[in-house]
PDB file of all heavy atoms in Angstrom:
ATOM      1  N   GLU A   1     127.442  34.910 113.017  1.00 63.00           N
ATOM      2  CA  GLU A   1     127.901  35.990 113.880  1.00 63.00           C
ATOM      3  C   GLU A   1     129.128  36.651 113.269  1.00 63.00           C
ATOM      4  O   GLU A   1     130.060  35.980 112.845  1.00 63.00           O
ATOM      5  CB  GLU A   1     128.241  35.430 115.257  1.00 63.00           C
ATOM      6  CG  GLU A   1     128.678  36.471 116.245  1.00 63.00           C
ATOM      7  CD  GLU A   1     128.991  35.851 117.586  1.00 63.00           C
ATOM      8  OE1 GLU A   1     128.164  35.068 118.078  1.00 63.00           O
ATOM      9  OE2 GLU A   1     130.068  36.136 118.114  1.00 63.00           O
ATOM     10  N   GLN A   2     129.136  37.971 113.239  1.00 74.00           N
ATOM     11  CA  GLN A   2     130.274  38.696 112.697  1.00 74.00           C
ATOM     12  C   GLN A   2     131.265  38.981 113.824  1.00 74.00           C
ATOM     13  O   GLN A   2     130.875  39.191 114.967  1.00 74.00           O
ATOM     14  CB  GLN A   2     129.805  39.982 112.039  1.00 74.00           C
ATOM     15  CG  GLN A   2     128.916  39.722 110.832  1.00 74.00           C
ATOM     16  CD  GLN A   2     128.419  41.011 110.207  1.00 74.00           C
ATOM     17  OE1 GLN A   2     128.668  42.089 110.691  1.00 74.00           O
ATOM     18  NE2 GLN A   2     127.695  40.875 109.109  1.00 74.00           N
ATOM     19  N   PRO A   3     132.565  38.991 113.517  1.00 76.00           N
ATOM     20  CA  PRO A   3     133.572  39.134 114.571  1.00 76.00           C
ATOM     21  C   PRO A   3     133.478  40.457 115.336  1.00 76.00           C
ATOM     22  O   PRO A   3     133.730  40.503 116.533  1.00 76.00           O
ATOM     23  CB  PRO A   3     134.904  39.042 113.832  1.00 76.00           C
ATOM     24  CG  PRO A   3     134.612  38.771 112.416  1.00 76.00           C
ATOM     25  CD  PRO A   3     133.145  38.800 112.209  1.00 76.00           C
ATOM     26  N   ARG A   4     133.104  41.519 114.700  1.00 85.00           N
ATOM     27  CA  ARG A   4     133.054  42.831 115.358  1.00 85.00           C
ATOM     28  C   ARG A   4     131.741  43.061 116.114  1.00 85.00           C
ATOM     29  O   ARG A   4     131.631  44.023 116.856  1.00 85.00           O
ATOM     30  CB  ARG A   4     133.219  43.950 114.333  1.00 85.00           C
ATOM     31  CG  ARG A   4     134.481  43.880 113.546  1.00 85.00           C
ATOM     32  CD  ARG A   4     135.551  44.601 114.249  1.00 85.00           C
ATOM     33  NE  ARG A   4     136.794  44.464 113.489  1.00 85.00           N
ATOM     34  CZ  ARG A   4     137.876  45.087 113.788  1.00 85.00           C
ATOM     35  NH1 ARG A   4     137.887  45.884 114.818  1.00 85.00           N
ATOM     36  NH2 ARG A   4     138.960  44.910 113.085  1.00 85.00           N
ATOM     37  N   ALA A   5     130.784  42.202 115.929  1.00 84.00           N
ATOM     38  CA  ALA A   5     129.476  42.409 116.553  1.00 84.00           C
ATOM     39  C   ALA A   5     129.560  42.347 118.077  1.00 84.00           C
ATOM     40  O   ALA A   5     128.914  43.130 118.778  1.00 84.00           O
ATOM     41  CB  ALA A   5     128.477  41.378 116.041  1.00 84.00           C
ATOM     42  N   ARG A   6     130.353  41.444 118.608  1.00 84.00           N
ATOM     43  CA  ARG A   6     130.493  41.330 120.055  1.00 84.00           C
ATOM     44  C   ARG A   6     131.158  42.589 120.629  1.00 84.00           C
ATOM     45  O   ARG A   6     130.770  43.093 121.663  1.00 84.00           O
ATOM     46  CB  ARG A   6     131.287  40.091 120.432  1.00 84.00           C
ATOM     47  CG  ARG A   6     131.299  39.823 121.918  1.00 84.00           C
ATOM     48  CD  ARG A   6     131.946  38.495 122.256  1.00 84.00           C
ATOM     49  NE  ARG A   6     131.435  37.354 121.521  1.00 84.00           N
ATOM     50  CZ  ARG A   6     130.320  36.686 121.831  1.00 84.00           C
ATOM     51  NH1 ARG A   6     129.614  37.048 122.868  1.00 84.00           N
ATOM     52  NH2 ARG A   6     129.946  35.651 121.118  1.00 84.00           N
ATOM     53  N   LEU A   7     132.153  43.113 119.926  1.00 86.00           N
ATOM     54  CA  LEU A   7     132.813  44.340 120.369  1.00 86.00           C
ATOM     55  C   LEU A   7     131.838  45.513 120.375  1.00 86.00           C
ATOM     56  O   LEU A   7     131.802  46.301 121.324  1.00 86.00           O
ATOM     57  CB  LEU A   7     134.017  44.652 119.474  1.00 86.00           C
ATOM     58  CG  LEU A   7     134.744  45.958 119.769  1.00 86.00           C
ATOM     59  CD1 LEU A   7     135.392  45.907 121.150  1.00 86.00           C
ATOM     60  CD2 LEU A   7     135.762  46.256 118.691  1.00 86.00           C
ATOM     61  N   VAL A   8     131.036  45.622 119.336  1.00 86.00           N
ATOM     62  CA  VAL A   8     130.042  46.689 119.259  1.00 86.00           C
ATOM     63  C   VAL A   8     129.027  46.539 120.388  1.00 86.00           C
ATOM     64  O   VAL A   8     128.663  47.529 121.051  1.00 86.00           O
ATOM     65  CB  VAL A   8     129.344  46.686 117.879  1.00 86.00           C
ATOM     66  CG1 VAL A   8     128.160  47.625 117.860  1.00 86.00           C
ATOM     67  CG2 VAL A   8     130.336  47.047 116.791  1.00 86.00           C
ATOM     68  N   ALA A   9     128.591  45.334 120.646  1.00 85.00           N
ATOM     69  CA  ALA A   9     127.638  45.099 121.733  1.00 85.00           C
ATOM     70  C   ALA A   9     128.246  45.458 123.081  1.00 85.00           C
ATOM     71  O   ALA A   9     127.579  46.032 123.947  1.00 85.00           O
ATOM     72  CB  ALA A   9     127.184  43.639 121.729  1.00 85.00           C
ATOM     73  N   GLN A  10     129.522  45.142 123.281  1.00 87.00           N
ATOM     74  CA  GLN A  10     130.193  45.479 124.538  1.00 87.00           C
ATOM     75  C   GLN A  10     130.320  46.984 124.706  1.00 87.00           C
ATOM     76  O   GLN A  10     130.126  47.513 125.806  1.00 87.00           O
ATOM     77  CB  GLN A  10     131.569  44.820 124.598  1.00 87.00           C
ATOM     78  CG  GLN A  10     131.511  43.334 124.796  1.00 87.00           C
ATOM     79  CD  GLN A  10     132.871  42.680 124.675  1.00 87.00           C
ATOM     80  OE1 GLN A  10     133.795  43.244 124.099  1.00 87.00           O
ATOM     81  NE2 GLN A  10     132.985  41.472 125.205  1.00 87.00           N
ATOM     82  N   VAL A  11     130.643  47.696 123.638  1.00 89.00           N
ATOM     83  CA  VAL A  11     130.776  49.155 123.713  1.00 89.00           C
ATOM     84  C   VAL A  11     129.445  49.783 124.110  1.00 89.00           C
ATOM     85  O   VAL A  11     129.387  50.648 124.998  1.00 89.00           O
ATOM     86  CB  VAL A  11     131.288  49.725 122.374  1.00 89.00           C
ATOM     87  CG1 VAL A  11     131.147  51.229 122.323  1.00 89.00           C
ATOM     88  CG2 VAL A  11     132.729  49.314 122.156  1.00 89.00           C
ATOM     89  N   PHE A  12     128.361  49.367 123.482  1.00 87.00           N
ATOM     90  CA  PHE A  12     127.059  49.931 123.822  1.00 87.00           C
ATOM     91  C   PHE A  12     126.626  49.536 125.238  1.00 87.00           C
ATOM     92  O   PHE A  12     125.995  50.325 125.937  1.00 87.00           O
ATOM     93  CB  PHE A  12     126.002  49.518 122.795  1.00 87.00           C
ATOM     94  CG  PHE A  12     125.997  50.393 121.585  1.00 87.00           C
ATOM     95  CD1 PHE A  12     126.397  49.896 120.358  1.00 87.00           C
ATOM     96  CD2 PHE A  12     125.600  51.714 121.657  1.00 87.00           C
ATOM     97  CE1 PHE A  12     126.401  50.695 119.229  1.00 87.00           C
ATOM     98  CE2 PHE A  12     125.592  52.522 120.532  1.00 87.00           C
ATOM     99  CZ  PHE A  12     125.997  52.018 119.315  1.00 87.00           C
ATOM    100  N   ALA A  13     126.964  48.344 125.665  1.00 88.00           N
ATOM    101  CA  ALA A  13     126.621  47.928 127.036  1.00 88.00           C
ATOM    102  C   ALA A  13     127.365  48.777 128.062  1.00 88.00           C
ATOM    103  O   ALA A  13     126.792  49.185 129.074  1.00 88.00           O
ATOM    104  CB  ALA A  13     126.936  46.449 127.233  1.00 88.00           C
ATOM    105  N   VAL A  14     128.634  49.052 127.800  1.00 90.00           N
ATOM    106  CA  VAL A  14     129.409  49.898 128.712  1.00 90.00           C
ATOM    107  C   VAL A  14     128.858  51.319 128.717  1.00 90.00           C
ATOM    108  O   VAL A  14     128.714  51.942 129.779  1.00 90.00           O
ATOM    109  CB  VAL A  14     130.912  49.870 128.338  1.00 90.00           C
ATOM    110  CG1 VAL A  14     131.690  50.949 129.057  1.00 90.00           C
ATOM    111  CG2 VAL A  14     131.490  48.507 128.637  1.00 90.00           C
ATOM    112  N   LEU A  15     128.541  51.854 127.544  1.00 89.00           N
ATOM    113  CA  LEU A  15     127.963  53.198 127.480  1.00 89.00           C
ATOM    114  C   LEU A  15     126.648  53.277 128.248  1.00 89.00           C
ATOM    115  O   LEU A  15     126.410  54.226 129.007  1.00 89.00           O
ATOM    116  CB  LEU A  15     127.737  53.612 126.022  1.00 89.00           C
ATOM    117  CG  LEU A  15     128.955  54.034 125.235  1.00 89.00           C
ATOM    118  CD1 LEU A  15     128.585  54.300 123.780  1.00 89.00           C
ATOM    119  CD2 LEU A  15     129.576  55.269 125.851  1.00 89.00           C
ATOM    120  N   ALA A  16     125.797  52.296 128.063  1.00 88.00           N
ATOM    121  CA  ALA A  16     124.521  52.289 128.770  1.00 88.00           C
ATOM    122  C   ALA A  16     124.716  52.178 130.274  1.00 88.00           C
ATOM    123  O   ALA A  16     124.028  52.831 131.055  1.00 88.00           O
ATOM    124  CB  ALA A  16     123.639  51.147 128.266  1.00 88.00           C
ATOM    125  N   ALA A  17     125.685  51.361 130.686  1.00 89.00           N
ATOM    126  CA  ALA A  17     125.953  51.210 132.116  1.00 89.00           C
ATOM    127  C   ALA A  17     126.531  52.489 132.713  1.00 89.00           C
ATOM    128  O   ALA A  17     126.275  52.799 133.877  1.00 89.00           O
ATOM    129  CB  ALA A  17     126.907  50.039 132.344  1.00 89.00           C
ATOM    130  N   LEU A  18     127.295  53.236 131.948  1.00 90.00           N
ATOM    131  CA  LEU A  18     127.840  54.503 132.444  1.00 90.00           C
ATOM    132  C   LEU A  18     126.787  55.602 132.503  1.00 90.00           C
ATOM    133  O   LEU A  18     126.790  56.423 133.426  1.00 90.00           O
ATOM    134  CB  LEU A  18     129.007  54.957 131.555  1.00 90.00           C
ATOM    135  CG  LEU A  18     130.292  54.144 131.648  1.00 90.00           C
ATOM    136  CD1 LEU A  18     131.295  54.638 130.624  1.00 90.00           C
ATOM    137  CD2 LEU A  18     130.865  54.218 133.048  1.00 90.00           C
ATOM    138  N   PHE A  19     125.900  55.637 131.525  1.00 90.00           N
ATOM    139  CA  PHE A  19     124.877  56.684 131.477  1.00 90.00           C
ATOM    140  C   PHE A  19     123.699  56.412 132.404  1.00 90.00           C
ATOM    141  O   PHE A  19     123.042  57.340 132.863  1.00 90.00           O
ATOM    142  CB  PHE A  19     124.337  56.862 130.059  1.00 90.00           C
ATOM    143  CG  PHE A  19     125.331  57.426 129.088  1.00 90.00           C
ATOM    144  CD1 PHE A  19     125.253  57.115 127.743  1.00 90.00           C
ATOM    145  CD2 PHE A  19     126.345  58.263 129.502  1.00 90.00           C
ATOM    146  CE1 PHE A  19     126.163  57.621 126.836  1.00 90.00           C
ATOM    147  CE2 PHE A  19     127.265  58.781 128.606  1.00 90.00           C
ATOM    148  CZ  PHE A  19     127.170  58.462 127.265  1.00 90.00           C
ATOM    149  N   ALA A  20     123.407  55.163 132.686  1.00 89.00           N
ATOM    150  CA  ALA A  20     122.206  54.803 133.445  1.00 89.00           C
ATOM    151  C   ALA A  20     122.140  55.441 134.831  1.00 89.00           C
ATOM    152  O   ALA A  20     121.072  55.942 135.210  1.00 89.00           O
ATOM    153  CB  ALA A  20     122.068  53.294 133.541  1.00 89.00           C
ATOM    154  N   PRO A  21     123.194  55.460 135.634  1.00 90.00           N
ATOM    155  CA  PRO A  21     123.066  56.089 136.958  1.00 90.00           C
ATOM    156  C   PRO A  21     122.746  57.579 136.890  1.00 90.00           C
ATOM    157  O   PRO A  21     121.939  58.081 137.681  1.00 90.00           O
ATOM    158  CB  PRO A  21     124.437  55.861 137.611  1.00 90.00           C
ATOM    159  CG  PRO A  21     125.020  54.704 136.890  1.00 90.00           C
ATOM    160  CD  PRO A  21     124.489  54.781 135.496  1.00 90.00           C
ATOM    161  N   VAL A  22     123.330  58.269 135.934  1.00 90.00           N
ATOM    162  CA  VAL A  22     123.054  59.702 135.794  1.00 90.00           C
ATOM    163  C   VAL A  22     121.621  59.926 135.331  1.00 90.00           C
ATOM    164  O   VAL A  22     120.908  60.790 135.867  1.00 90.00           O
ATOM    165  CB  VAL A  22     124.055  60.329 134.795  1.00 90.00           C
ATOM    166  CG1 VAL A  22     123.746  61.786 134.564  1.00 90.00           C
ATOM    167  CG2 VAL A  22     125.476  60.149 135.285  1.00 90.00           C
ATOM    168  N   GLU A  23     121.184  59.150 134.364  1.00 89.00           N
ATOM    169  CA  GLU A  23     119.812  59.268 133.877  1.00 89.00           C
ATOM    170  C   GLU A  23     118.807  58.909 134.968  1.00 89.00           C
ATOM    171  O   GLU A  23     117.778  59.579 135.126  1.00 89.00           O
ATOM    172  CB  GLU A  23     119.607  58.363 132.666  1.00 89.00           C
ATOM    173  CG  GLU A  23     120.419  58.770 131.468  1.00 89.00           C
ATOM    174  CD  GLU A  23     120.526  57.673 130.436  1.00 89.00           C
ATOM    175  OE1 GLU A  23     120.078  56.531 130.699  1.00 89.00           O
ATOM    176  OE2 GLU A  23     121.062  57.950 129.353  1.00 89.00           O
ATOM    177  N   ALA A  24     119.095  57.863 135.721  1.00 88.00           N
ATOM    178  CA  ALA A  24     118.192  57.445 136.795  1.00 88.00           C
ATOM    179  C   ALA A  24     118.131  58.493 137.899  1.00 88.00           C
ATOM    180  O   ALA A  24     117.053  58.773 138.437  1.00 88.00           O
ATOM    181  CB  ALA A  24     118.637  56.101 137.362  1.00 88.00           C
ATOM    182  N   ALA A  25     119.258  59.087 138.233  1.00 90.00           N
ATOM    183  CA  ALA A  25     119.266  60.134 139.258  1.00 90.00           C
ATOM    184  C   ALA A  25     118.464  61.346 138.801  1.00 90.00           C
ATOM    185  O   ALA A  25     117.698  61.933 139.582  1.00 90.00           O
ATOM    186  CB  ALA A  25     120.695  60.540 139.582  1.00 90.00           C
ATOM    187  N   PHE A  26     118.612  61.709 137.537  1.00 89.00           N
ATOM    188  CA  PHE A  26     117.856  62.850 137.014  1.00 89.00           C
ATOM    189  C   PHE A  26     116.358  62.550 136.974  1.00 89.00           C
ATOM    190  O   PHE A  26     115.534  63.391 137.346  1.00 89.00           O
ATOM    191  CB  PHE A  26     118.375  63.216 135.624  1.00 89.00           C
ATOM    192  CG  PHE A  26     117.781  64.466 135.070  1.00 89.00           C
ATOM    193  CD1 PHE A  26     117.967  65.684 135.695  1.00 89.00           C
ATOM    194  CD2 PHE A  26     117.033  64.437 133.916  1.00 89.00           C
ATOM    195  CE1 PHE A  26     117.420  66.848 135.189  1.00 89.00           C
ATOM    196  CE2 PHE A  26     116.475  65.578 133.395  1.00 89.00           C
ATOM    197  CZ  PHE A  26     116.667  66.793 134.018  1.00 89.00           C
ATOM    198  N   ALA A  27     116.003  61.342 136.549  1.00 87.00           N
ATOM    199  CA  ALA A  27     114.586  60.953 136.530  1.00 87.00           C
ATOM    200  C   ALA A  27     114.018  60.920 137.945  1.00 87.00           C
ATOM    201  O   ALA A  27     112.888  61.351 138.174  1.00 87.00           O
ATOM    202  CB  ALA A  27     114.414  59.592 135.862  1.00 87.00           C
ATOM    203  N   ALA A  28     114.794  60.418 138.892  1.00 87.00           N
ATOM    204  CA  ALA A  28     114.324  60.390 140.280  1.00 87.00           C
ATOM    205  C   ALA A  28     114.150  61.799 140.826  1.00 87.00           C
ATOM    206  O   ALA A  28     113.177  62.090 141.520  1.00 87.00           O
ATOM    207  CB  ALA A  28     115.312  59.604 141.142  1.00 87.00           C
ATOM    208  N   PHE A  29     115.084  62.681 140.507  1.00 88.00           N
ATOM    209  CA  PHE A  29     114.968  64.070 140.958  1.00 88.00           C
ATOM    210  C   PHE A  29     113.701  64.717 140.409  1.00 88.00           C
ATOM    211  O   PHE A  29     112.932  65.330 141.157  1.00 88.00           O
ATOM    212  CB  PHE A  29     116.201  64.874 140.526  1.00 88.00           C
ATOM    213  CG  PHE A  29     116.062  66.344 140.746  1.00 88.00           C
ATOM    214  CD1 PHE A  29     116.145  66.869 142.022  1.00 88.00           C
ATOM    215  CD2 PHE A  29     115.851  67.203 139.681  1.00 88.00           C
ATOM    216  CE1 PHE A  29     116.014  68.236 142.236  1.00 88.00           C
ATOM    217  CE2 PHE A  29     115.714  68.560 139.877  1.00 88.00           C
ATOM    218  CZ  PHE A  29     115.801  69.084 141.158  1.00 88.00           C
ATOM    219  N   LEU A  30     113.484  64.570 139.100  1.00 85.00           N
ATOM    220  CA  LEU A  30     112.284  65.160 138.491  1.00 85.00           C
ATOM    221  C   LEU A  30     111.012  64.542 139.051  1.00 85.00           C
ATOM    222  O   LEU A  30     110.049  65.247 139.376  1.00 85.00           O
ATOM    223  CB  LEU A  30     112.318  64.970 136.975  1.00 85.00           C
ATOM    224  CG  LEU A  30     113.354  65.745 136.195  1.00 85.00           C
ATOM    225  CD1 LEU A  30     113.276  65.370 134.725  1.00 85.00           C
ATOM    226  CD2 LEU A  30     113.155  67.228 136.360  1.00 85.00           C
ATOM    227  N   GLY A  31     111.000  63.222 139.153  1.00 85.00           N
ATOM    228  CA  GLY A  31     109.800  62.537 139.600  1.00 85.00           C
ATOM    229  C   GLY A  31     109.467  62.790 141.053  1.00 85.00           C
ATOM    230  O   GLY A  31     108.306  63.031 141.403  1.00 85.00           O
ATOM    231  N   VAL A  32     110.462  62.762 141.913  1.00 85.00           N
ATOM    232  CA  VAL A  32     110.207  63.003 143.338  1.00 85.00           C
ATOM    233  C   VAL A  32     109.779  64.438 143.563  1.00 85.00           C
ATOM    234  O   VAL A  32     108.883  64.723 144.348  1.00 85.00           O
ATOM    235  CB  VAL A  32     111.457  62.638 144.177  1.00 85.00           C
ATOM    236  CG1 VAL A  32     111.324  63.117 145.605  1.00 85.00           C
ATOM    237  CG2 VAL A  32     111.682  61.139 144.139  1.00 85.00           C
ATOM    238  N   ARG A  33     110.414  65.339 142.847  1.00 85.00           N
ATOM    239  CA  ARG A  33     110.017  66.747 142.981  1.00 85.00           C
ATOM    240  C   ARG A  33     108.569  66.954 142.519  1.00 85.00           C
ATOM    241  O   ARG A  33     107.802  67.675 143.141  1.00 85.00           O
ATOM    242  CB  ARG A  33     110.965  67.615 142.174  1.00 85.00           C
ATOM    243  CG  ARG A  33     110.667  69.078 142.304  1.00 85.00           C
ATOM    244  CD  ARG A  33     111.664  69.895 141.527  1.00 85.00           C
ATOM    245  NE  ARG A  33     111.115  71.214 141.310  1.00 85.00           N
ATOM    246  CZ  ARG A  33     111.687  72.308 141.737  1.00 85.00           C
ATOM    247  NH1 ARG A  33     112.817  72.242 142.377  1.00 85.00           N
ATOM    248  NH2 ARG A  33     111.136  73.469 141.508  1.00 85.00           N
ATOM    249  N   ALA A  34     108.197  66.322 141.416  1.00 83.00           N
ATOM    250  CA  ALA A  34     106.828  66.449 140.919  1.00 83.00           C
ATOM    251  C   ALA A  34     105.836  65.721 141.823  1.00 83.00           C
ATOM    252  O   ALA A  34     104.722  66.190 142.037  1.00 83.00           O
ATOM    253  CB  ALA A  34     106.738  65.910 139.500  1.00 83.00           C
ATOM    254  N   ALA A  35     106.235  64.587 142.360  1.00 82.00           N
ATOM    255  CA  ALA A  35     105.324  63.823 143.216  1.00 82.00           C
ATOM    256  C   ALA A  35     105.139  64.465 144.577  1.00 82.00           C
ATOM    257  O   ALA A  35     104.130  64.223 145.247  1.00 82.00           O
ATOM    258  CB  ALA A  35     105.848  62.401 143.387  1.00 82.00           C
ATOM    259  N   ALA A  36     106.085  65.287 145.002  1.00 83.00           N
ATOM    260  CA  ALA A  36     105.987  65.923 146.314  1.00 83.00           C
ATOM    261  C   ALA A  36     104.954  67.042 146.337  1.00 83.00           C
ATOM    262  O   ALA A  36     104.510  67.449 147.407  1.00 83.00           O
ATOM    263  CB  ALA A  36     107.346  66.471 146.730  1.00 83.00           C
ATOM    264  N   ASN A  37     104.577  67.522 145.182  1.00 81.00           N
ATOM    265  CA  ASN A  37     103.579  68.594 145.098  1.00 81.00           C
ATOM    266  C   ASN A  37     102.190  67.993 144.902  1.00 81.00           C
ATOM    267  O   ASN A  37     102.059  66.918 144.341  1.00 81.00           O
ATOM    268  CB  ASN A  37     103.912  69.524 143.931  1.00 81.00           C
ATOM    269  CG  ASN A  37     105.248  70.195 144.122  1.00 81.00           C
ATOM    270  OD1 ASN A  37     105.571  70.632 145.215  1.00 81.00           O
ATOM    271  ND2 ASN A  37     106.026  70.264 143.062  1.00 81.00           N
ATOM    272  N   PRO A  38     101.156  68.713 145.334  1.00 82.00           N
ATOM    273  CA  PRO A  38      99.793  68.209 145.112  1.00 82.00           C
ATOM    274  C   PRO A  38      99.455  68.157 143.619  1.00 82.00           C
ATOM    275  O   PRO A  38      99.962  68.950 142.827  1.00 82.00           O
ATOM    276  CB  PRO A  38      98.905  69.223 145.824  1.00 82.00           C
ATOM    277  CG  PRO A  38      99.798  70.111 146.588  1.00 82.00           C
ATOM    278  CD  PRO A  38     101.181  69.940 146.096  1.00 82.00           C
ATOM    279  N   CYS A  39      98.591  67.211 143.249  1.00 77.00           N
ATOM    280  CA  CYS A  39      98.175  67.090 141.851  1.00 77.00           C
ATOM    281  C   CYS A  39      97.311  68.275 141.429  1.00 77.00           C
ATOM    282  O   CYS A  39      97.403  68.756 140.309  1.00 77.00           O
ATOM    283  CB  CYS A  39      97.390  65.794 141.633  1.00 77.00           C
ATOM    284  SG  CYS A  39      98.411  64.316 141.719  1.00 77.00           S
ATOM    285  N   GLU A  40      96.449  68.709 142.323  1.00 79.00           N
ATOM    286  CA  GLU A  40      95.554  69.837 142.054  1.00 79.00           C
ATOM    287  C   GLU A  40      96.175  71.117 142.596  1.00 79.00           C
ATOM    288  O   GLU A  40      96.807  71.102 143.651  1.00 79.00           O
ATOM    289  CB  GLU A  40      94.193  69.605 142.720  1.00 79.00           C
ATOM    290  CG  GLU A  40      93.499  68.335 142.279  1.00 79.00           C
ATOM    291  CD  GLU A  40      93.158  68.339 140.806  1.00 79.00           C
ATOM    292  OE1 GLU A  40      92.834  69.407 140.262  1.00 79.00           O
ATOM    293  OE2 GLU A  40      93.241  67.257 140.196  1.00 79.00           O
ATOM    294  N   PRO A  41      95.996  72.234 141.923  1.00 77.00           N
ATOM    295  CA  PRO A  41      96.604  73.482 142.391  1.00 77.00           C
ATOM    296  C   PRO A  41      96.176  73.900 143.798  1.00 77.00           C
ATOM    297  O   PRO A  41      96.962  74.450 144.550  1.00 77.00           O
ATOM    298  CB  PRO A  41      96.136  74.516 141.364  1.00 77.00           C
ATOM    299  CG  PRO A  41      95.779  73.733 140.156  1.00 77.00           C
ATOM    300  CD  PRO A  41      95.324  72.389 140.644  1.00 77.00           C
ATOM    301  N   ASP A  42      94.947  73.632 144.164  1.00 78.00           N
ATOM    302  CA  ASP A  42      94.475  74.027 145.495  1.00 78.00           C
ATOM    303  C   ASP A  42      94.415  72.846 146.460  1.00 78.00           C
ATOM    304  O   ASP A  42      93.902  72.967 147.558  1.00 78.00           O
ATOM    305  CB  ASP A  42      93.101  74.687 145.395  1.00 78.00           C
ATOM    306  CG  ASP A  42      92.075  73.770 144.724  1.00 78.00           C
ATOM    307  OD1 ASP A  42      92.484  72.747 144.144  1.00 78.00           O
ATOM    308  OD2 ASP A  42      90.877  74.093 144.774  1.00 78.00           O
ATOM    309  N   GLY A  43      94.961  71.709 146.082  1.00 75.00           N
ATOM    310  CA  GLY A  43      94.904  70.498 146.901  1.00 75.00           C
ATOM    311  C   GLY A  43      96.033  70.432 147.910  1.00 75.00           C
ATOM    312  O   GLY A  43      96.894  71.313 148.008  1.00 75.00           O
ATOM    313  N   SER A  44      96.009  69.368 148.675  1.00 76.00           N
ATOM    314  CA  SER A  44      97.076  69.152 149.648  1.00 76.00           C
ATOM    315  C   SER A  44      97.585  67.724 149.495  1.00 76.00           C
ATOM    316  O   SER A  44      96.986  66.900 148.812  1.00 76.00           O
ATOM    317  CB  SER A  44      96.548  69.369 151.065  1.00 76.00           C
ATOM    318  OG  SER A  44      95.535  68.429 151.347  1.00 76.00           O
ATOM    319  N   GLY A  45      98.703  67.415 150.119  1.00 75.00           N
ATOM    320  CA  GLY A  45      99.270  66.073 150.044  1.00 75.00           C
ATOM    321  C   GLY A  45     100.233  65.934 148.885  1.00 75.00           C
ATOM    322  O   GLY A  45     100.847  66.902 148.453  1.00 75.00           O
ATOM    323  N   VAL A  46     100.352  64.710 148.398  1.00 79.00           N
ATOM    324  CA  VAL A  46     101.296  64.420 147.321  1.00 79.00           C
ATOM    325  C   VAL A  46     100.545  63.947 146.081  1.00 79.00           C
ATOM    326  O   VAL A  46      99.361  63.646 146.137  1.00 79.00           O
ATOM    327  CB  VAL A  46     102.315  63.347 147.751  1.00 79.00           C
ATOM    328  CG1 VAL A  46     103.160  63.845 148.897  1.00 79.00           C
ATOM    329  CG2 VAL A  46     101.633  62.049 148.112  1.00 79.00           C
ATOM    330  N   CYS A  47     101.267  63.865 144.979  1.00 80.00           N
ATOM    331  CA  CYS A  47     100.683  63.406 143.718  1.00 80.00           C
ATOM    332  C   CYS A  47     101.187  61.984 143.443  1.00 80.00           C
ATOM    333  O   CYS A  47     102.265  61.791 142.881  1.00 80.00           O
ATOM    334  CB  CYS A  47     101.075  64.365 142.596  1.00 80.00           C
ATOM    335  SG  CYS A  47     100.249  64.014 141.046  1.00 80.00           S
TER     336      CYS A  47
END
């Protein structure tokens, strides 16, 4: 194990933890918006 490897792993873990809520919110917004519309253009209900 290299001494700086743990620091690098911690930095990436913090970055991922900071970005994840924003990415998840954006994915949920896109997905819910797309799922709320019918799959077929002339259909009804949700996709």
Side-chain angles (χ1 to χ4, degrees):
E1 182 180 311
Q2 296 178 356
R4 302 272 177 173
R6 188 173 309 278
L7 176 65
V8 170
Q10 288 173 340
V11 168
F12 277 112
V14 168
L15 284 175
L18 289 175
F19 292 151
V22 177
E23 294 163 353
F26 187 62
F29 170 74
L30 291 177
V32 169
R33 183 178 161 120
N37 298 318
C39 289
E40 302 297 325
D42 57 348
S44 62
V46 297
C47 187

